[in-house]
Amino acid sequence: MMDVFLQPVGIVHYFLLSTLLFVIGAMGIFLNRRHVLSMLMALELILLAVNINFVAFSVAHGNVEGQIFSFFILTVAAAEAAIGLAILVIFFRRYQTVDVAAMDTLKG
Amino acid sequence: MLSFLPLSPALSPVILATSLLFFVVYGAFRSRASYGSVAFLALFALLIVMDAAGLQFALNFGTDRLPSLVFDGLSSAATVVLCGMMLAFFVLTLGLAWPLEAALLVLFALLGMLLMVSADSLMMFYMGLEMQSLALYVFIALQGRQQPAAIEAALKYFILGALASGLMLLGMSFLYGQWGVLGYGPLQALLVQHAAVSPALLWTTLGAGLILVGFLFKLSLVPFHMWTPDVYQAAPTPVVAFLSSLPKVAATVALVRLLAGPFYPLMPDLGDMLRIIGALSMLWGALAGLQQTSLRRLMAYSTIAQMGFVVMALSVATPEGMGSALVYVVVYAVTSLGLFALLMRVSDNDLSFNDVAGLVKASPVTAYLLAVFLLSLAGMPFFAGFFTKLSVFQSVLAGQHYAVVFAAALSSVVAMYYYLRVIKVMIFDDPATDQGVVMANHGASLPLGVAAALFVSVFFIIPGPEMTAFAQKMMADLLPQATASAPVMTLPFEKE
């Protein structure tokens, strides 16, 4: 088990890193119940973690499809960040807060 | 091969994209451009797109493949249906004082959907899906000017949607990591080859399951349904009409493409997963709807239950099952477009049961047409909903999945209660206030409602049998040829 840390850096290490980042990102959404802004950061982390996967697999397979996909994901991540922040700005304007707890007018 | 004849296979999305760019420039340089003017121009563009797809369809061009896009019967049929619904939506909202951007955003969403239904690789599918979702997040948030709650709904929808697409992307990276391809065709070939010699691989099944998560979110299925009631309640009625029809059709077609293509060899596992999710959605949609007091929240739970039927039919992976799922979702989309179009005549805002009490006194036509839609959703005989439910049941029973059919029957019975309750409140109750229900006048909503009600009522004579036969034949062509001896899949607890 531990010898994965003694090997030269390879596909397994990239996969571990991206899994770690993905889990941090997912926890940032599920466990973080305070700040919407940090949720948006966690979302970015998720997308970028997957990007590491794609690039690492692409190198391992020796074809570029994964790297092309990773560029598209970067673009989508940028658009998503812009849209998320824009929605958050109008949310703040309306409720004067970015607390997750403020998102409770809709339920039933 | 890509032909450069006037009817190039990619014509419909290309025409839509070109006219969209024109509208963007038009909106930027013409300061007095309004929502109505762009929507009006878009009507013509949509007619041309429909024409292109319909011609391709009528002339039977067969299957055309571009890199990562495929144009066949399914994608042209889906394009015609989606553009038709978009036309109805624009006709419905032509007179509204929406900002110009709203028209551009729904058109971008439509372009994303057209790419989704003809995607032939995971990359193109993901881009189409994101194009659709990102446009819809903004479209909902834009309504915050009139209805502040829509901002909150948009934010919730955005966070959950982005998380779901992140999970989906992780699934795609697993598949890519294991097989090194993104195209549906090569992936299917590799998986079929592999399935012939050894059982499914963990990472592949996991990856496919994670991709399904994205679909669960888009189709608002349990456990990824949480956004649906909030968005349905908070967004204005025409927005809900859009959200409950077009994206559902597009997501179902894209799901069919995946399940009939690369995921077909994984169907024993995925089929079980889809059946469990379908059963949960049908039951939860029926039970949670019982205690709703908001009409649009109620419709959200109804959507959840109806989408459960769709995945139940998809899970059997036979031409009959998938064909009936496609017909089911199209009929559902038309019903819900008509229903929300008529609700616009009552109010653009959320409605409680009291707000529609005694609707029949203010406008008998509206009340009875709404009753037609509700009865069809409930699955009353001789309305469209009955026949689509029937063919779904038949195809699932043919696969001998009795447990999930039992859940579906139970769900129909329970849901019948809340549909009938709305009808009772509208037609038999007295108005809550002295002046009764005040009607708003939206020019096109009544004609659209009448047209949709007509479709729902005569479905079993005129388009129904042809649609079902056509969809099932199309799926028979699309599914791998070994379908005749499809493996019988059962839930663990169904095994004797």
Side-chain angles (χ1 to χ4, degrees):
Chain A
M1 181 63 209
M2 287 308 287
D3 52 340
V4 74
F5 295 107
L6 303 175
Q7 291 161 2
V9 173
I11 182 82
V12 180
H13 302 88
Y14 287 114
F15 188 66
L16 281 178
L17 172 69
S18 84
T19 310
L20 190 68
L21 285 177
F22 193 94
V23 170
I24 294 175
M27 290 204 317
I29 292 170
F30 286 118
L31 302 183
N32 159 30
R33 287 276 157 227
R34 286 200 49 223
H35 217 287
V36 183
L37 201 56
S38 52
M39 274 190 180
L40 295 186
M41 292 196 277
L43 286 175
E44 291 303 300
L45 206 54
I46 284 180
L47 288 184
L48 296 179
V50 176
N51 244 351
I52 294 178
N53 257 353
F54 271 112
V55 175
F57 289 148
S58 163
V59 172
H61 282 299
N63 79 17
V64 289
E65 260 183 308
Q67 292 179 46
I68 297 169
F69 201 174
S70 78
F71 279 114
F72 281 112
I73 297 172
L74 279 180
T75 325
V76 169
E80 210 164 67
I83 285 169
L85 285 173
I87 297 177
L88 194 58
V89 166
I90 54 170
F91 183 81
F92 179 77
R93 229 184 257 160
R94 169 77 198 171
Y95 294 91
Q96 301 300 318
T97 172
V98 286
D99 257 12
V100 176
M103 295 202 287
D104 65 346
T105 58
L106 296 167
K107 60 174 120 179
Chain B
M1 280 306 291
L2 167 58
S3 64
F4 288 96
L5 289 168
L7 285 169
S8 145
L11 204 58
S12 21
V14 168
I15 296 173
L16 184 64
T18 320
S19 42
L20 197 45
L21 287 180
F22 168 74
F23 294 144
V24 170
V25 175
Y26 171 78
F29 285 97
R30 205 179 144 84
S31 52
R32 283 186 295 128
S34 65
Y35 175 80
S37 62
V38 172
F40 186 69
L41 288 176
L43 290 181
F44 297 102
L46 285 171
L47 278 175
I48 298 171
V49 175
M50 261 175 98
D51 239 32
L55 264 180
Q56 202 174 331
F57 188 59
L59 297 179
N60 196 9
F61 263 57
T63 305
D64 262 303
R65 278 173 201 283
L66 303 184
S68 73
L69 280 174
V70 61
F71 295 91
D72 54 7
L74 183 59
S75 62
S76 354
T79 303
V80 172
V81 168
L82 288 171
C83 291
M85 288 178 181
M86 194 72 190
L87 273 175
F89 175 77
F90 274 139
V91 169
L92 188 66
T93 57
L94 214 50
L96 295 182
W98 277 356
L100 162 76
E101 291 83 358
L104 301 177
L105 285 167
V106 285
L107 283 170
F108 269 116
L110 180 68
L111 183 57
M113 289 178 216
L114 294 194
L115 293 180
M116 258 169 90
V117 297
S118 42
D120 197 31
S121 90
L122 293 173
M123 183 165 15
M124 185 54 82
F125 165 66
Y126 176 73
M127 295 312 290
L129 182 82
E130 285 296 317
M131 191 163 190
Q132 183 228 46
S133 318
L134 291 177
L136 289 183
Y137 302 143
V138 185
F139 182 50
I140 299 171
L142 207 58
Q143 309 298 332
R145 298 187 192 182
Q146 281 99 34
Q147 299 191 4
I151 301 171
E152 186 189 325
L155 196 54
K156 280 181 181 170
Y157 187 33
F158 171 79
I159 290 171
L160 292 173
L163 179 65
S165 73
L167 288 171
M168 181 179 236
L169 211 47
L170 186 70
M172 290 179 183
S173 82
F174 286 168
L175 285 180
Y176 178 70
Q178 189 141 45
W179 302 106
V181 291
L182 288 170
Y184 286 0
L187 188 58
Q188 185 177 10
L190 283 169
L191 283 176
V192 168
Q193 241 171 30
H194 179 83
V197 289
S198 66
L201 293 158
L202 172 68
W203 290 110
T204 308
T205 315
L206 194 61
L210 283 170
I211 291 176
L212 286 193
V213 165
F215 282 105
L216 301 190
F217 176 82
K218 275 288 142 209
L219 293 174
S220 59
L221 290 159
V222 174
F224 295 90
H225 64 287
M226 285 89 86
W227 61 274
T228 321
D230 287 347
V231 172
Y232 274 44
Q233 188 184 4
T237 308
V239 176
V240 182
F242 184 87
L243 285 176
S244 65
S245 49
L246 282 91
K248 305 286 189 243
V249 176
T252 307
V253 174
L255 184 55
V256 162
R257 240 185 227 298
L258 267 173
L259 292 183
F263 290 177
Y264 188 73
L266 306 172
M267 268 321 263
D269 294 330
L270 297 185
D272 283 348
M273 178 181 156
L274 286 177
R275 267 188 290 283
I276 292 169
I277 282 161
L280 287 177
S281 307
M282 288 183 287
L283 291 174
W284 181 243
L287 292 174
L290 289 179
Q291 48 166 355
Q292 298 306 319
T293 50
S294 146
L295 204 53
R296 291 211 310 231
R297 260 191 119 75
L298 175 70
M299 290 318 298
Y301 284 105
S302 146
T303 304
I304 294 169
Q306 303 281 341
M307 289 301 129
F309 279 89
V310 173
V311 287
M312 176 176 80
L314 287 179
S315 73
V316 290
T318 56
E320 290 77 29
M322 292 198 156
S324 54
L326 287 174
V327 177
Y328 194 103
V329 77
V330 170
V331 168
Y332 170 74
V334 173
T335 313
S336 117
L337 257 181
L339 193 142
F340 285 110
L342 285 173
L343 279 185
M344 274 174 72
R345 288 169 60 78
V346 185
S347 166
D348 262 2
N349 299 321
D350 190 27
L351 292 162
S352 71
F353 278 51
N354 276 342
D355 295 330
V356 293
L359 179 64
V360 74
K361 294 200 177 66
S363 166
V365 187
T366 314
Y368 286 116
L369 288 178
L370 279 174
V372 167
F373 292 129
L374 290 166
L375 288 176
S376 168
L377 286 176
M380 271 295 204
F382 307 114
F383 292 114
F386 171 73
F387 292 96
T388 52
K389 273 201 175 69
L390 187 67
S391 67
V392 166
F393 278 138
Q394 276 172 347
S395 59
V396 181
L397 281 175
Q400 298 179 324
H401 308 295
Y402 301 117
V404 71
V405 174
F406 179 71
L410 197 65
S411 150
S412 302
V413 173
V414 177
M416 180 75 89
Y417 166 76
Y418 59 64
Y419 292 126
L420 290 181
R421 185 160 146 241
V422 179
I423 295 177
K424 176 219 160 221
V425 167
M426 281 190 316
I427 295 181
F428 298 108
D429 281 10
D430 289 325
T433 53
D434 287 341
Q435 75 266 33
V437 182
V438 182
M439 305 295 289
N441 196 16
H442 281 294
S445 67
L446 189 59
L448 272 177
V450 172
L454 206 62
F455 174 81
V456 165
S457 317
V458 302
F459 177 80
F460 69 103
I461 308 171
I462 183 75
E466 289 84 1
M467 256 174 89
T468 313
F470 169 72
Q472 294 183 347
K473 190 193 159 292
M474 193 165 62
M475 288 317 301
D477 294 342
L478 210 64
L479 279 163
Q481 288 310 311
T483 321
S485 60
V488 177
M489 294 158 275
T490 45
L491 290 177
F493 49 86
E494 283 175 335
K495 287 191 178 119
E496 296 298 318

